Amino acid sequence: MGCRDVHAATVLAFLSGTASVAGLLAAVLLPNWRQMRLYTFNKNERNVTVYTGLWIKCARFDGSRDCVIYDPQWYTAVDQLDLRVLQFALPLSMLTAVSALFLCLIGMCNTAFVSSVPNVKLAKCLVNSAGCHLVAGLLFLLACAICLTPSIWVIFYNNYLNRKYEPVFSFDISVFIAIASAGGLFFTSILLFLWYCACKSLPSPFWQPLYSHAPSMHSYASQPYSARSRLSAIEIDIPVVTHAS
């Protein structure tokens, strides 16, 4: 594939990265990281489920969608270590992924709208499309690690809470959304790495633009020695001798 053209790999990577960031945003905002179900043996009362998010906490009776207790200041008094870590990890992962999307967009715009024959004097200062996608892939991979590690830790910490207190805790849908978003970030980084590997065969240095110098300069390159060696010694070395009359 030609890496000077915007093709399906980079477009699919950009769309996948955008969807993953949207999933992370939903996981951050939803109050569904952990459920604590409280049972009652009184037939005149209903069981209560406490939904715990990163920023708010909501308690509901079974069969009701209204919050009996709504705590919008929960983020300041989080007493669960895994949720406290997620308060910092997920926004950091989102910021890293948005930076990667910005770099990916710069690389796509550069390949689509910049002339394929740059000025010789400015060639080494141009935006390197392959380099942009490579750095974007690394940032997507970093965002995946920042998001995935604490999200999986929620599952193990939930088992720890059940052993320490009572088996009333369970992880909720936000855990699955965060893990799926991390998988989307990993898939995006793989696509960009594949794109970069396809471009690596071009005759350009690792961090230089796709044209490290103008293409016209290639036409004046000297022939390799193997081509010159096929000429006979007579054609190369014997001087021309003229005789006077």
Side-chain angles (χ1 to χ4, degrees):
M1 70 181 72
C3 66
R4 294 185 182 90
D5 302 322
V6 177
H7 45 74
T10 53
V11 174
L12 181 59
F14 183 81
L15 294 178
S16 175
T18 304
S20 300
V21 171
L24 283 179
L25 180 62
V28 168
L29 297 180
L30 286 175
N32 298 96
W33 278 92
R34 174 169 292 123
Q35 291 184 15
M36 182 174 62
R37 188 166 176 81
L38 305 177
Y39 297 93
T40 178
F41 297 99
N42 191 340
K43 296 182 179 180
N44 297 324
E45 296 180 357
R46 290 181 293 177
N47 297 329
V48 177
T49 302
V50 180
Y51 296 89
T52 304
L54 302 182
W55 317 106
I56 61 175
K57 178 185 285 188
C58 173
R60 298 175 183 170
F61 287 117
D62 286 359
S64 175
R65 294 186 177 181
D66 298 328
C67 294
V68 180
I69 300 175
Y70 181 81
D71 185 7
Q73 302 296 324
W74 164 248
Y75 67 94
T76 62
V78 174
D79 57 352
Q80 300 169 16
L81 183 58
D82 58 339
L83 299 184
R84 178 65 76 182
V85 172
L86 283 166
Q87 286 181 336
F88 295 95
L90 290 191
L92 180 60
S93 177
M94 289 177 57
L95 180 62
T96 306
V98 169
S99 302
L101 282 176
F102 184 68
L103 275 177
C104 186
L105 187 60
I106 290 177
M108 292 170 61
C109 292
N110 182 65
T111 55
F113 301 113
V114 175
S115 174
S116 60
V117 183
N119 191 334
V120 177
K121 296 181 179 180
L122 300 178
K124 293 187 178 181
C125 300
L126 292 176
V127 176
N128 183 1
S129 299
C132 284
H133 289 307
L134 175 63
V135 176
L138 293 174
L139 289 178
F140 276 124
L141 193 62
L142 177 62
C144 171
I146 296 174
C147 169
L148 185 63
T149 304
S151 298
I152 293 179
W153 185 34
V154 171
I155 300 175
F156 295 97
Y157 196 82
N158 188 78
N159 296 331
Y160 165 76
L161 291 177
N162 285 329
R163 291 193 305 268
K164 184 177 180 180
Y165 300 104
E166 294 183 9
V168 295
F169 297 95
S170 61
F171 50 87
D172 209 347
I173 189 173
S174 292
V175 178
F176 300 106
I177 295 177
I179 293 176
S181 299
L185 294 174
F186 181 76
F187 174 72
T188 304
S189 66
I190 292 299
L191 281 178
L192 292 177
F193 289 152
L194 290 176
W195 188 91
Y196 179 79
C197 289
C199 295
K200 195 175 180 181
S201 59
L202 290 178
S204 62
F206 186 75
W207 278 113
Q208 294 296 329
L210 300 181
Y211 282 117
S212 57
H213 50 269
S216 59
M217 298 177 63
H218 290 285
S219 60
Y220 297 100
S222 61
Q223 293 182 348
Y225 178 78
S226 59
R228 298 197 307 269
S229 64
R230 289 194 293 267
L231 299 175
S232 66
I234 298 177
E235 294 174 334
I236 296 176
D237 297 330
I238 296 178
V240 177
V241 179
T242 59
H243 297 277
S245 57

